[in-house]
Structures are given as structure tokens and as C-alpha cells.
Amino acid sequence: MIDRTGEPLLSLQNVSVHFEKERLLGLAGSETVHAVDDVSLDVYENDIVALVGESGCGKTTLGKTAIGVQRPTEGKVLYRGQDVWETKESSGWFGGGKSAGEYSSSEIRRSLQMIHQDPGSSLNSNYTVESSLADPLKHWQPEMSEADRRARIYGLLEYVGMAPAEDYANRYPHQLSGGEQQRVALIRSLLMNPDLILADEAVSALDVSLRAEMMDLMLELQDQFSTSYLYISHDLANAKHLTQRANGRIGIMYLGELVEIGTPEQIIHDPQHPYTKVLLWATSDLRNRSEGVSDPPIRSLDIPTPTDPPSGCRFHTRCPEAREACTKECPTLADHDGDGRRSACFRQQGNHEYWNSAPLAEGEPVEAGPATTSESAEGD
Ligand code: SF4
């Protein structure tokens, strides 16, 4: 059971990440990309949080900010209560300089690991599997004998189904399938004994038949290593699979903001935010749960640009429930029912002026569902 009452392992407090980017078409000057805006999120020991949203919603940027790879423009990232960026500045991210806090920057760096969508990017093509896996053990457990190191590596390879271990240990990354590469990348992260792993689209490059298997393996290894996952995905069905068994949470992001977060039961079976309903509609495995709606519950397929996000509620240009009030005021993420789920929509506030203001437009059905399958846009 996850204890969410004490100090979080990781706390993102009012985090914003803005980038300057050159204007296109030869226009002078730059414009600001609002990749993430004012997001607060706590992750606890042995927790799983899946962040889901369309391409360009800021979920990858938020994930990288959470593990200290991306510096927030505003707000703080705290590791066990200690400011990650103050630590980094006082002791250097790679250096062993003295930290002002209880944890050094290298301890924090070891504690917050990442596995990528493309495991090839985290495995050195010149190293055998055994060399790749021995590296973190040599660094973090230098007292371990070579025989013990080998036994640990072989044991883990067999645990994740790569047997006989001697055979796999001597292979190079190009001699492994995508699923095997991802297993090695996962083991490699876990050998650092991290407190949290950022898994960014970690299963989306695998065959559909292997995705559930890989997520189940992640959950098994979570039990063994007592780690937490921050899982980034455009696929609500995968997020459900990973979080449901582990008492995790699903967070929905739209245009740089966290618009709803709750248990998989709340998000999948009783979504509050209109954008969550769009994602459910767009997920074929879950669509039959979204009230039998045949047309996408959205007014426009066009996603506003993060360089010029809409005023008020950022979803108002696409929301079928939008009213005049939504163009003027930004709803805050709040627990409206006292059940732990937080959402950012005026429709959850019975006495808000929303209810007396005029609808923006009829909820005209659009012709196709929103694209939620690619993941490459800037600011993501
Ligand atoms: Fe839609 Fe208004 Fe709710 Fe935003 S606040 S999600 S525009 S109803």
C-alpha cells in the first residue's frame, strides 16, 4: 500500500517551464513556448504516476523537470524536501562538492533515473550486456566482488526471462530484440537502486503483444527494488494497465497544464474534465466506457499553440461545454468531492458564474478523433 500521508519522495511545486524559440518565416525576435505552466505534483515512495496527454502537452518536459534534467523557469522541485536545483548549484550535478543539504547532488542524480522510448539511446553499442550492467554496480557498490557482481547480473537477466544468462550477457545491443534491449535498460536503471524511474514512452516502441508483458515486469521489479515510477504516455490504456494493479494515479495534461489527476478507477470510469473524456473517446480499448459517444466530444481538432495559449481555461477553444466564463478565468486544479481526485473545470463548482454565462457554441460534432499517437512536438 502506498503511504501518501508523509513527506513526498518528489514534490513539484508550481513548476513552469518556458522556452524561447526563434520565430519562423524570417520574422525577427523570439517567442515564448509555454511547455509547462504552474504544475504541482507529489510522488511518494513506491508510487506510480502516469502522465497522459496529446503530443506537445508538456508531459515529457515535466518528467525531465521532475528528475532534475530540465530546469524549471519558475517553481521548485524537491527531493525528500531538499531543493534539487539549489543542491545542484551548491555541489555541481556531477561533482562531489559539498551539498548544503542532507543529500548530495550525485545521490539525487543516482536516485532519479530514466528509461527512454528507444533503449538504444541508453545502451552503449560497444558494450556487451554484462559490461553495461556491471558499470552501475562498479560505481555504486565498488566493494562488491567480481563474482558477486556477475551472479547478480546473471540472476537479474534470468529473472526478466533472458536465459541462459551467460549467452545474453555476452551479446551486444544490436544482437537483442527491442523488448530485450528495453529489459536490459530497465535492469540497468534499477541497479542504481533509484528511488524513482522516469519511464518516457517506455513500452510504445514494442509490439503490442509485448507491452503488457513489459509493464507487468516493471511492476514486479518495483516490488523487488522499492522504486517509484513516473510513467509518460500518450496511451490511456497503457496508463490504466500500469497504474491499476499498483494503486497508482493517472494525471491528464493539456497544453502545459495538469487538468485532472486521480485513481485509474476515477479517470477511466468517472472522468470529470471534458478533456479526459476526449482522451477516453480516442482510446479504442476504452472507448466503450465513454458513455457510448460515437462522435468525439470536442469542438475543434486544432490544438492551440503553446506559444500563444488561449486565455482563461486553455481547453475552451475545443471544449464542447465551454461558456463565456471559461474564456476569462483559468480554473484551478482542486479536489471538488473530497475523494482525492483533483480536476480543473468550472463544471465541478456548483456556484461558479460559469453556470449563468452563455455557451460559446453548440457542441458541433467534428469528423474525426483527435490524434494522440505521435510524440515529437516541441515543448513535450
Ligand atoms: Fe470546458 Fe470551461 Fe471546464 Fe474549461 S472550465 S474544461 S472550457 S467547461
Side-chain angles (χ1 to χ4, degrees), residues 2 4 10 41-44 46-52 62 196-199 222 228-233 239 242-243 246-252 258 260-262:
I2 302 163
R4 296 196 179 98
L10 200 64
L41 174 67
D42 290 336
V43 184
Y44 293 83
N46 301 315
D47 205 353
I48 295 188
V49 178
L51 293 176
V52 182
L62 185 64
L196 179 133
I197 293 178
L198 169 65
Q222 181 191 30
S228 301
Y229 289 115
L230 186 55
Y231 178 77
I232 309 287
S233 181
L242 195 68
T243 54
N247 191 26
R249 290 168 292 159
I250 299 176
I252 306 294
L258 190 59
E260 183 164 9
I261 182 165

PDB file of all heavy atoms in Angstrom, residues 2 4 10 41-44 46-52 62 196-199 222 228-233 239 242-243 246-252 258 260-262:
ATOM      1  N   ILE A   2       0.534   2.216  -0.809  1.00  0.00           N
ATOM      2  CA  ILE A   2       1.333   3.439  -0.880  1.00  0.00           C
ATOM      3  C   ILE A   2       0.879   4.406   0.212  1.00  0.00           C
ATOM      4  O   ILE A   2      -0.305   4.696   0.338  1.00  0.00           O
ATOM      5  CB  ILE A   2       1.163   4.096  -2.263  1.00  0.00           C
ATOM      6  CG1 ILE A   2       1.584   3.122  -3.372  1.00  0.00           C
ATOM      7  CG2 ILE A   2       1.958   5.382  -2.355  1.00  0.00           C
ATOM      8  CD1 ILE A   2       1.086   3.505  -4.739  1.00  0.00           C
ATOM      9  N   ARG A   4       0.601   7.960   1.261  1.00  0.00           N
ATOM     10  CA  ARG A   4       0.681   9.305   0.692  1.00  0.00           C
ATOM     11  C   ARG A   4       0.417  10.372   1.753  1.00  0.00           C
ATOM     12  O   ARG A   4      -0.044  11.468   1.438  1.00  0.00           O
ATOM     13  CB  ARG A   4      -0.311   9.467  -0.473  1.00  0.00           C
ATOM     14  CG  ARG A   4      -0.009   8.548  -1.649  1.00  0.00           C
ATOM     15  CD  ARG A   4      -0.725   8.977  -2.930  1.00  0.00           C
ATOM     16  NE  ARG A   4      -0.386   8.095  -4.038  1.00  0.00           N
ATOM     17  CZ  ARG A   4      -1.135   7.066  -4.454  1.00  0.00           C
ATOM     18  NH1 ARG A   4      -2.278   6.808  -3.850  1.00  0.00           N
ATOM     19  NH2 ARG A   4      -0.756   6.311  -5.461  1.00  0.00           N
ATOM     20  N   LEU A  10       9.224  13.028  -4.038  1.00  0.00           N
ATOM     21  CA  LEU A  10       9.490  14.092  -5.006  1.00  0.00           C
ATOM     22  C   LEU A  10       8.295  15.037  -5.003  1.00  0.00           C
ATOM     23  O   LEU A  10       7.155  14.590  -5.048  1.00  0.00           O
ATOM     24  CB  LEU A  10       9.638  13.454  -6.390  1.00  0.00           C
ATOM     25  CG  LEU A  10      10.363  14.238  -7.463  1.00  0.00           C
ATOM     26  CD1 LEU A  10      11.825  14.452  -7.069  1.00  0.00           C
ATOM     27  CD2 LEU A  10      10.308  13.467  -8.783  1.00  0.00           C
ATOM     28  N   LEU A  41       2.757  18.609  -8.166  1.00  0.00           N
ATOM     29  CA  LEU A  41       2.530  17.155  -8.154  1.00  0.00           C
ATOM     30  C   LEU A  41       3.468  16.526  -7.140  1.00  0.00           C
ATOM     31  O   LEU A  41       4.654  16.835  -7.111  1.00  0.00           O
ATOM     32  CB  LEU A  41       2.835  16.589  -9.560  1.00  0.00           C
ATOM     33  CG  LEU A  41       2.793  15.073  -9.733  1.00  0.00           C
ATOM     34  CD1 LEU A  41       1.370  14.554  -9.568  1.00  0.00           C
ATOM     35  CD2 LEU A  41       3.325  14.677 -11.114  1.00  0.00           C
ATOM     36  N   ASP A  42       2.925  15.650  -6.293  1.00  0.00           N
ATOM     37  CA  ASP A  42       3.746  14.913  -5.335  1.00  0.00           C
ATOM     38  C   ASP A  42       3.799  13.437  -5.735  1.00  0.00           C
ATOM     39  O   ASP A  42       2.776  12.843  -6.074  1.00  0.00           O
ATOM     40  CB  ASP A  42       3.155  15.010  -3.922  1.00  0.00           C
ATOM     41  CG  ASP A  42       3.295  16.422  -3.347  1.00  0.00           C
ATOM     42  OD1 ASP A  42       4.192  17.162  -3.801  1.00  0.00           O
ATOM     43  OD2 ASP A  42       2.501  16.773  -2.452  1.00  0.00           O
ATOM     44  N   VAL A  43       4.989  12.861  -5.652  1.00  0.00           N
ATOM     45  CA  VAL A  43       5.165  11.428  -5.905  1.00  0.00           C
ATOM     46  C   VAL A  43       5.771  10.836  -4.634  1.00  0.00           C
ATOM     47  O   VAL A  43       6.719  11.394  -4.078  1.00  0.00           O
ATOM     48  CB  VAL A  43       6.104  11.170  -7.107  1.00  0.00           C
ATOM     49  CG1 VAL A  43       6.186   9.678  -7.403  1.00  0.00           C
ATOM     50  CG2 VAL A  43       5.635  11.930  -8.344  1.00  0.00           C
ATOM     51  N   TYR A  44       5.208   9.699  -4.193  1.00  0.00           N
ATOM     52  CA  TYR A  44       5.619   9.112  -2.913  1.00  0.00           C
ATOM     53  C   TYR A  44       6.450   7.841  -3.136  1.00  0.00           C
ATOM     54  O   TYR A  44       6.628   7.390  -4.253  1.00  0.00           O
ATOM     55  CB  TYR A  44       4.363   8.802  -2.076  1.00  0.00           C
ATOM     56  CG  TYR A  44       3.647  10.067  -1.655  1.00  0.00           C
ATOM     57  CD1 TYR A  44       2.759  10.692  -2.523  1.00  0.00           C
ATOM     58  CD2 TYR A  44       3.894  10.651  -0.420  1.00  0.00           C
ATOM     59  CE1 TYR A  44       2.118  11.867  -2.161  1.00  0.00           C
ATOM     60  CE2 TYR A  44       3.259  11.825  -0.047  1.00  0.00           C
ATOM     61  CZ  TYR A  44       2.381  12.429  -0.915  1.00  0.00           C
ATOM     62  OH  TYR A  44       1.761  13.606  -0.557  1.00  0.00           O
ATOM     63  N   ASN A  46       7.370   4.136  -3.605  1.00  0.00           N
ATOM     64  CA  ASN A  46       6.656   3.015  -4.242  1.00  0.00           C
ATOM     65  C   ASN A  46       5.394   3.445  -4.980  1.00  0.00           C
ATOM     66  O   ASN A  46       4.449   2.678  -5.123  1.00  0.00           O
ATOM     67  CB  ASN A  46       6.284   1.930  -3.225  1.00  0.00           C
ATOM     68  CG  ASN A  46       7.499   1.378  -2.542  1.00  0.00           C
ATOM     69  OD1 ASN A  46       8.498   1.090  -3.199  1.00  0.00           O
ATOM     70  ND2 ASN A  46       7.448   1.269  -1.222  1.00  0.00           N
ATOM     71  N   ASP A  47       5.381   4.677  -5.408  1.00  0.00           N
ATOM     72  CA  ASP A  47       4.213   5.257  -6.079  1.00  0.00           C
ATOM     73  C   ASP A  47       4.338   5.043  -7.589  1.00  0.00           C
ATOM     74  O   ASP A  47       5.429   4.812  -8.116  1.00  0.00           O
ATOM     75  CB  ASP A  47       4.215   6.766  -5.778  1.00  0.00           C
ATOM     76  CG  ASP A  47       2.832   7.384  -5.868  1.00  0.00           C
ATOM     77  OD1 ASP A  47       1.895   6.680  -6.287  1.00  0.00           O
ATOM     78  OD2 ASP A  47       2.702   8.573  -5.528  1.00  0.00           O
ATOM     79  N   ILE A  48       3.215   5.115  -8.280  1.00  0.00           N
ATOM     80  CA  ILE A  48       3.248   5.156  -9.742  1.00  0.00           C
ATOM     81  C   ILE A  48       2.313   6.272 -10.192  1.00  0.00           C
ATOM     82  O   ILE A  48       1.132   6.288  -9.819  1.00  0.00           O
ATOM     83  CB  ILE A  48       2.766   3.843 -10.382  1.00  0.00           C
ATOM     84  CG1 ILE A  48       3.707   2.694 -10.038  1.00  0.00           C
ATOM     85  CG2 ILE A  48       2.687   3.997 -11.910  1.00  0.00           C
ATOM     86  CD1 ILE A  48       3.398   1.413 -10.786  1.00  0.00           C
ATOM     87  N   VAL A  49       2.852   7.207 -10.944  1.00  0.00           N
ATOM     88  CA  VAL A  49       2.023   8.257 -11.542  1.00  0.00           C
ATOM     89  C   VAL A  49       2.229   8.188 -13.048  1.00  0.00           C
ATOM     90  O   VAL A  49       3.365   8.228 -13.534  1.00  0.00           O
ATOM     91  CB  VAL A  49       2.414   9.660 -11.034  1.00  0.00           C
ATOM     92  CG1 VAL A  49       1.554  10.721 -11.720  1.00  0.00           C
ATOM     93  CG2 VAL A  49       2.255   9.754  -9.518  1.00  0.00           C
ATOM     94  N   ALA A  50       1.140   8.035 -13.787  1.00  0.00           N
ATOM     95  CA  ALA A  50       1.214   8.041 -15.256  1.00  0.00           C
ATOM     96  C   ALA A  50       0.701   9.391 -15.742  1.00  0.00           C
ATOM     97  O   ALA A  50      -0.402   9.803 -15.387  1.00  0.00           O
ATOM     98  CB  ALA A  50       0.362   6.920 -15.821  1.00  0.00           C
ATOM     99  N   LEU A  51       1.524  10.086 -16.528  1.00  0.00           N
ATOM    100  CA  LEU A  51       1.116  11.365 -17.122  1.00  0.00           C
ATOM    101  C   LEU A  51       0.717  11.106 -18.567  1.00  0.00           C
ATOM    102  O   LEU A  51       1.509  10.573 -19.351  1.00  0.00           O
ATOM    103  CB  LEU A  51       2.266  12.372 -17.075  1.00  0.00           C
ATOM    104  CG  LEU A  51       2.694  12.852 -15.689  1.00  0.00           C
ATOM    105  CD1 LEU A  51       3.914  13.769 -15.808  1.00  0.00           C
ATOM    106  CD2 LEU A  51       1.553  13.593 -14.986  1.00  0.00           C
ATOM    107  N   VAL A  52      -0.504  11.494 -18.901  1.00  0.00           N
ATOM    108  CA  VAL A  52      -1.036  11.184 -20.228  1.00  0.00           C
ATOM    109  C   VAL A  52      -1.529  12.467 -20.893  1.00  0.00           C
ATOM    110  O   VAL A  52      -2.106  13.339 -20.232  1.00  0.00           O
ATOM    111  CB  VAL A  52      -2.220  10.182 -20.102  1.00  0.00           C
ATOM    112  CG1 VAL A  52      -2.756   9.800 -21.487  1.00  0.00           C
ATOM    113  CG2 VAL A  52      -1.800   8.938 -19.346  1.00  0.00           C
ATOM    114  N   LEU A  62       7.778  17.948 -18.338  1.00  0.00           N
ATOM    115  CA  LEU A  62       7.508  17.872 -16.902  1.00  0.00           C
ATOM    116  C   LEU A  62       8.274  16.706 -16.278  1.00  0.00           C
ATOM    117  O   LEU A  62       8.852  16.840 -15.191  1.00  0.00           O
ATOM    118  CB  LEU A  62       6.000  17.716 -16.657  1.00  0.00           C
ATOM    119  CG  LEU A  62       5.588  17.749 -15.194  1.00  0.00           C
ATOM    120  CD1 LEU A  62       5.888  19.106 -14.557  1.00  0.00           C
ATOM    121  CD2 LEU A  62       4.104  17.428 -15.019  1.00  0.00           C
ATOM    122  N   LEU A 196      13.258   6.647  -7.908  1.00  0.00           N
ATOM    123  CA  LEU A 196      12.232   6.903  -8.917  1.00  0.00           C
ATOM    124  C   LEU A 196      12.818   6.717 -10.312  1.00  0.00           C
ATOM    125  O   LEU A 196      13.957   7.103 -10.569  1.00  0.00           O
ATOM    126  CB  LEU A 196      11.685   8.332  -8.776  1.00  0.00           C
ATOM    127  CG  LEU A 196      10.623   8.737  -9.797  1.00  0.00           C
ATOM    128  CD1 LEU A 196       9.441   9.419  -9.117  1.00  0.00           C
ATOM    129  CD2 LEU A 196      11.202   9.674 -10.853  1.00  0.00           C
ATOM    130  N   ILE A 197      12.023   6.100 -11.187  1.00  0.00           N
ATOM    131  CA  ILE A 197      12.422   5.975 -12.597  1.00  0.00           C
ATOM    132  C   ILE A 197      11.405   6.724 -13.451  1.00  0.00           C
ATOM    133  O   ILE A 197      10.194   6.489 -13.336  1.00  0.00           O
ATOM    134  CB  ILE A 197      12.489   4.503 -13.033  1.00  0.00           C
ATOM    135  CG1 ILE A 197      13.628   3.788 -12.299  1.00  0.00           C
ATOM    136  CG2 ILE A 197      12.697   4.390 -14.540  1.00  0.00           C
ATOM    137  CD1 ILE A 197      13.741   2.314 -12.619  1.00  0.00           C
ATOM    138  N   LEU A 198      11.913   7.627 -14.278  1.00  0.00           N
ATOM    139  CA  LEU A 198      11.081   8.273 -15.286  1.00  0.00           C
ATOM    140  C   LEU A 198      11.058   7.343 -16.490  1.00  0.00           C
ATOM    141  O   LEU A 198      12.102   7.092 -17.108  1.00  0.00           O
ATOM    142  CB  LEU A 198      11.667   9.638 -15.666  1.00  0.00           C
ATOM    143  CG  LEU A 198      11.064  10.307 -16.893  1.00  0.00           C
ATOM    144  CD1 LEU A 198       9.597  10.659 -16.656  1.00  0.00           C
ATOM    145  CD2 LEU A 198      11.856  11.568 -17.260  1.00  0.00           C
ATOM    146  N   ALA A 199       9.900   6.794 -16.816  1.00  0.00           N
ATOM    147  CA  ALA A 199       9.764   5.875 -17.946  1.00  0.00           C
ATOM    148  C   ALA A 199       8.996   6.615 -19.035  1.00  0.00           C
ATOM    149  O   ALA A 199       7.771   6.722 -18.980  1.00  0.00           O
ATOM    150  CB  ALA A 199       9.038   4.604 -17.517  1.00  0.00           C
ATOM    151  N   GLN A 222       9.366  -3.368  -9.448  1.00  0.00           N
ATOM    152  CA  GLN A 222       9.091  -2.308  -8.474  1.00  0.00           C
ATOM    153  C   GLN A 222       9.003  -2.898  -7.069  1.00  0.00           C
ATOM    154  O   GLN A 222       9.520  -2.337  -6.106  1.00  0.00           O
ATOM    155  CB  GLN A 222       7.782  -1.594  -8.814  1.00  0.00           C
ATOM    156  CG  GLN A 222       7.483  -0.464  -7.841  1.00  0.00           C
ATOM    157  CD  GLN A 222       6.096   0.097  -7.974  1.00  0.00           C
ATOM    158  OE1 GLN A 222       5.157  -0.599  -8.354  1.00  0.00           O
ATOM    159  NE2 GLN A 222       5.950   1.355  -7.667  1.00  0.00           N
ATOM    160  N   SER A 228       9.779   4.001  -7.364  1.00  0.00           N
ATOM    161  CA  SER A 228       8.562   4.642  -7.865  1.00  0.00           C
ATOM    162  C   SER A 228       8.730   4.882  -9.361  1.00  0.00           C
ATOM    163  O   SER A 228       9.856   4.983  -9.855  1.00  0.00           O
ATOM    164  CB  SER A 228       8.334   5.987  -7.167  1.00  0.00           C
ATOM    165  OG  SER A 228       8.222   5.798  -5.784  1.00  0.00           O
ATOM    166  N   TYR A 229       7.624   4.975 -10.065  1.00  0.00           N
ATOM    167  CA  TYR A 229       7.675   5.269 -11.495  1.00  0.00           C
ATOM    168  C   TYR A 229       6.905   6.542 -11.794  1.00  0.00           C
ATOM    169  O   TYR A 229       5.806   6.748 -11.265  1.00  0.00           O
ATOM    170  CB  TYR A 229       7.033   4.157 -12.323  1.00  0.00           C
ATOM    171  CG  TYR A 229       7.799   2.859 -12.382  1.00  0.00           C
ATOM    172  CD1 TYR A 229       7.260   1.701 -11.824  1.00  0.00           C
ATOM    173  CD2 TYR A 229       9.025   2.769 -13.020  1.00  0.00           C
ATOM    174  CE1 TYR A 229       7.939   0.493 -11.884  1.00  0.00           C
ATOM    175  CE2 TYR A 229       9.717   1.566 -13.087  1.00  0.00           C
ATOM    176  CZ  TYR A 229       9.164   0.430 -12.511  1.00  0.00           C
ATOM    177  OH  TYR A 229       9.844  -0.765 -12.580  1.00  0.00           O
ATOM    178  N   LEU A 230       7.496   7.363 -12.649  1.00  0.00           N
ATOM    179  CA  LEU A 230       6.756   8.452 -13.290  1.00  0.00           C
ATOM    180  C   LEU A 230       6.698   8.030 -14.747  1.00  0.00           C
ATOM    181  O   LEU A 230       7.719   8.008 -15.447  1.00  0.00           O
ATOM    182  CB  LEU A 230       7.498   9.780 -13.107  1.00  0.00           C
ATOM    183  CG  LEU A 230       6.786  11.034 -13.593  1.00  0.00           C
ATOM    184  CD1 LEU A 230       5.398  11.168 -12.975  1.00  0.00           C
ATOM    185  CD2 LEU A 230       7.608  12.280 -13.246  1.00  0.00           C
ATOM    186  N   TYR A 231       5.527   7.631 -15.172  1.00  0.00           N
ATOM    187  CA  TYR A 231       5.372   6.997 -16.481  1.00  0.00           C
ATOM    188  C   TYR A 231       4.703   7.987 -17.432  1.00  0.00           C
ATOM    189  O   TYR A 231       3.646   8.545 -17.131  1.00  0.00           O
ATOM    190  CB  TYR A 231       4.503   5.744 -16.291  1.00  0.00           C
ATOM    191  CG  TYR A 231       4.201   4.995 -17.558  1.00  0.00           C
ATOM    192  CD1 TYR A 231       5.160   4.177 -18.146  1.00  0.00           C
ATOM    193  CD2 TYR A 231       2.950   5.093 -18.165  1.00  0.00           C
ATOM    194  CE1 TYR A 231       4.874   3.476 -19.305  1.00  0.00           C
ATOM    195  CE2 TYR A 231       2.661   4.399 -19.323  1.00  0.00           C
ATOM    196  CZ  TYR A 231       3.625   3.589 -19.889  1.00  0.00           C
ATOM    197  OH  TYR A 231       3.346   2.903 -21.040  1.00  0.00           O
ATOM    198  N   ILE A 232       5.351   8.218 -18.574  1.00  0.00           N
ATOM    199  CA  ILE A 232       4.846   9.198 -19.543  1.00  0.00           C
ATOM    200  C   ILE A 232       4.270   8.443 -20.731  1.00  0.00           C
ATOM    201  O   ILE A 232       4.953   7.575 -21.289  1.00  0.00           O
ATOM    202  CB  ILE A 232       6.008  10.088 -20.072  1.00  0.00           C
ATOM    203  CG1 ILE A 232       6.822  10.672 -18.930  1.00  0.00           C
ATOM    204  CG2 ILE A 232       5.498  11.138 -21.029  1.00  0.00           C
ATOM    205  CD1 ILE A 232       6.170  11.757 -18.178  1.00  0.00           C
ATOM    206  N   SER A 233       3.056   8.768 -21.129  1.00  0.00           N
ATOM    207  CA  SER A 233       2.473   8.046 -22.249  1.00  0.00           C
ATOM    208  C   SER A 233       1.398   8.871 -22.941  1.00  0.00           C
ATOM    209  O   SER A 233       0.771   9.724 -22.335  1.00  0.00           O
ATOM    210  CB  SER A 233       1.855   6.741 -21.743  1.00  0.00           C
ATOM    211  OG  SER A 233       1.301   6.009 -22.811  1.00  0.00           O
ATOM    212  N   ALA A 239      -1.553   3.419 -19.551  1.00  0.00           N
ATOM    213  CA  ALA A 239      -1.506   4.068 -18.225  1.00  0.00           C
ATOM    214  C   ALA A 239      -2.419   3.345 -17.247  1.00  0.00           C
ATOM    215  O   ALA A 239      -2.073   3.133 -16.082  1.00  0.00           O
ATOM    216  CB  ALA A 239      -1.910   5.532 -18.352  1.00  0.00           C
ATOM    217  N   LEU A 242      -0.803  -0.032 -16.155  1.00  0.00           N
ATOM    218  CA  LEU A 242       0.307   0.098 -15.220  1.00  0.00           C
ATOM    219  C   LEU A 242      -0.147   0.569 -13.834  1.00  0.00           C
ATOM    220  O   LEU A 242       0.376   0.122 -12.818  1.00  0.00           O
ATOM    221  CB  LEU A 242       1.341   1.081 -15.786  1.00  0.00           C
ATOM    222  CG  LEU A 242       2.697   1.058 -15.108  1.00  0.00           C
ATOM    223  CD1 LEU A 242       3.424  -0.249 -15.390  1.00  0.00           C
ATOM    224  CD2 LEU A 242       3.562   2.220 -15.583  1.00  0.00           C
ATOM    225  N   THR A 243      -1.106   1.472 -13.796  1.00  0.00           N
ATOM    226  CA  THR A 243      -1.475   2.072 -12.508  1.00  0.00           C
ATOM    227  C   THR A 243      -2.516   1.263 -11.744  1.00  0.00           C
ATOM    228  O   THR A 243      -2.543   1.311 -10.513  1.00  0.00           O
ATOM    229  CB  THR A 243      -2.018   3.502 -12.701  1.00  0.00           C
ATOM    230  OG1 THR A 243      -3.092   3.466 -13.649  1.00  0.00           O
ATOM    231  CG2 THR A 243      -0.938   4.445 -13.197  1.00  0.00           C
ATOM    232  N   ALA A 246      -1.274  -1.314  -9.228  1.00  0.00           N
ATOM    233  CA  ALA A 246      -0.310  -0.839  -8.233  1.00  0.00           C
ATOM    234  C   ALA A 246      -0.853   0.325  -7.412  1.00  0.00           C
ATOM    235  O   ALA A 246      -0.084   1.034  -6.772  1.00  0.00           O
ATOM    236  CB  ALA A 246       0.970  -0.425  -8.938  1.00  0.00           C
ATOM    237  N   ASN A 247      -2.178   0.515  -7.455  1.00  0.00           N
ATOM    238  CA  ASN A 247      -2.763   1.602  -6.652  1.00  0.00           C
ATOM    239  C   ASN A 247      -2.158   2.953  -7.031  1.00  0.00           C
ATOM    240  O   ASN A 247      -1.929   3.805  -6.188  1.00  0.00           O
ATOM    241  CB  ASN A 247      -2.539   1.297  -5.167  1.00  0.00           C
ATOM    242  CG  ASN A 247      -3.337   2.223  -4.273  1.00  0.00           C
ATOM    243  OD1 ASN A 247      -4.365   2.741  -4.673  1.00  0.00           O
ATOM    244  ND2 ASN A 247      -2.835   2.456  -3.069  1.00  0.00           N
ATOM    245  N   GLY A 248      -1.848   3.113  -8.324  1.00  0.00           N
ATOM    246  CA  GLY A 248      -1.237   4.361  -8.780  1.00  0.00           C
ATOM    247  C   GLY A 248      -2.262   5.406  -9.159  1.00  0.00           C
ATOM    248  O   GLY A 248      -3.457   5.255  -8.887  1.00  0.00           O
ATOM    249  N   ARG A 249      -1.774   6.461  -9.809  1.00  0.00           N
ATOM    250  CA  ARG A 249      -2.665   7.548 -10.248  1.00  0.00           C
ATOM    251  C   ARG A 249      -2.367   7.887 -11.710  1.00  0.00           C
ATOM    252  O   ARG A 249      -1.260   7.668 -12.197  1.00  0.00           O
ATOM    253  CB  ARG A 249      -2.428   8.808  -9.395  1.00  0.00           C
ATOM    254  CG  ARG A 249      -2.915   8.689  -7.957  1.00  0.00           C
ATOM    255  CD  ARG A 249      -2.400   9.838  -7.117  1.00  0.00           C
ATOM    256  NE  ARG A 249      -0.959   9.752  -6.930  1.00  0.00           N
ATOM    257  CZ  ARG A 249      -0.190  10.773  -6.600  1.00  0.00           C
ATOM    258  NH1 ARG A 249      -0.708  11.973  -6.418  1.00  0.00           N
ATOM    259  NH2 ARG A 249       1.112  10.608  -6.435  1.00  0.00           N
ATOM    260  N   ILE A 250      -3.382   8.422 -12.364  1.00  0.00           N
ATOM    261  CA  ILE A 250      -3.210   8.903 -13.737  1.00  0.00           C
ATOM    262  C   ILE A 250      -3.417  10.414 -13.728  1.00  0.00           C
ATOM    263  O   ILE A 250      -4.417  10.913 -13.193  1.00  0.00           O
ATOM    264  CB  ILE A 250      -4.233   8.247 -14.693  1.00  0.00           C
ATOM    265  CG1 ILE A 250      -4.037   6.730 -14.724  1.00  0.00           C
ATOM    266  CG2 ILE A 250      -4.101   8.831 -16.102  1.00  0.00           C
ATOM    267  CD1 ILE A 250      -5.065   5.983 -15.561  1.00  0.00           C
ATOM    268  N   GLY A 251      -2.449  11.139 -14.296  1.00  0.00           N
ATOM    269  CA  GLY A 251      -2.568  12.598 -14.429  1.00  0.00           C
ATOM    270  C   GLY A 251      -2.783  12.937 -15.895  1.00  0.00           C
ATOM    271  O   GLY A 251      -2.100  12.398 -16.765  1.00  0.00           O
ATOM    272  N   ILE A 252      -3.732  13.808 -16.187  1.00  0.00           N
ATOM    273  CA  ILE A 252      -4.028  14.195 -17.566  1.00  0.00           C
ATOM    274  C   ILE A 252      -3.475  15.601 -17.802  1.00  0.00           C
ATOM    275  O   ILE A 252      -3.778  16.531 -17.034  1.00  0.00           O
ATOM    276  CB  ILE A 252      -5.560  14.196 -17.825  1.00  0.00           C
ATOM    277  CG1 ILE A 252      -6.174  12.846 -17.446  1.00  0.00           C
ATOM    278  CG2 ILE A 252      -5.852  14.554 -19.273  1.00  0.00           C
ATOM    279  CD1 ILE A 252      -5.732  11.670 -18.295  1.00  0.00           C
ATOM    280  N   LEU A 258      -1.671  20.482 -15.855  1.00  0.00           N
ATOM    281  CA  LEU A 258      -2.279  19.256 -15.330  1.00  0.00           C
ATOM    282  C   LEU A 258      -3.756  19.579 -15.117  1.00  0.00           C
ATOM    283  O   LEU A 258      -4.089  20.472 -14.328  1.00  0.00           O
ATOM    284  CB  LEU A 258      -1.593  18.901 -14.003  1.00  0.00           C
ATOM    285  CG  LEU A 258      -1.887  17.545 -13.372  1.00  0.00           C
ATOM    286  CD1 LEU A 258      -1.506  16.399 -14.300  1.00  0.00           C
ATOM    287  CD2 LEU A 258      -1.157  17.409 -12.046  1.00  0.00           C
ATOM    288  N   GLU A 260      -6.379  17.076 -14.701  1.00  0.00           N
ATOM    289  CA  GLU A 260      -7.087  16.138 -13.828  1.00  0.00           C
ATOM    290  C   GLU A 260      -6.095  15.096 -13.354  1.00  0.00           C
ATOM    291  O   GLU A 260      -5.207  14.677 -14.110  1.00  0.00           O
ATOM    292  CB  GLU A 260      -8.254  15.467 -14.569  1.00  0.00           C
ATOM    293  CG  GLU A 260      -9.070  14.538 -13.678  1.00  0.00           C
ATOM    294  CD  GLU A 260     -10.440  14.165 -14.235  1.00  0.00           C
ATOM    295  OE1 GLU A 260     -10.733  14.481 -15.401  1.00  0.00           O
ATOM    296  OE2 GLU A 260     -11.229  13.554 -13.478  1.00  0.00           O
ATOM    297  N   ILE A 261      -6.240  14.665 -12.109  1.00  0.00           N
ATOM    298  CA  ILE A 261      -5.406  13.564 -11.605  1.00  0.00           C
ATOM    299  C   ILE A 261      -6.216  12.781 -10.586  1.00  0.00           C
ATOM    300  O   ILE A 261      -6.903  13.355  -9.730  1.00  0.00           O
ATOM    301  CB  ILE A 261      -4.058  14.068 -11.016  1.00  0.00           C
ATOM    302  CG1 ILE A 261      -3.213  12.876 -10.557  1.00  0.00           C
ATOM    303  CG2 ILE A 261      -4.242  15.096  -9.902  1.00  0.00           C
ATOM    304  CD1 ILE A 261      -1.746  13.218 -10.309  1.00  0.00           C
ATOM    305  N   GLY A 262      -6.168  11.461 -10.729  1.00  0.00           N
ATOM    306  CA  GLY A 262      -6.927  10.614  -9.809  1.00  0.00           C
ATOM    307  C   GLY A 262      -6.547   9.163  -9.999  1.00  0.00           C
ATOM    308  O   GLY A 262      -5.615   8.833 -10.744  1.00  0.00           O
TER     309      GLY A 262
END
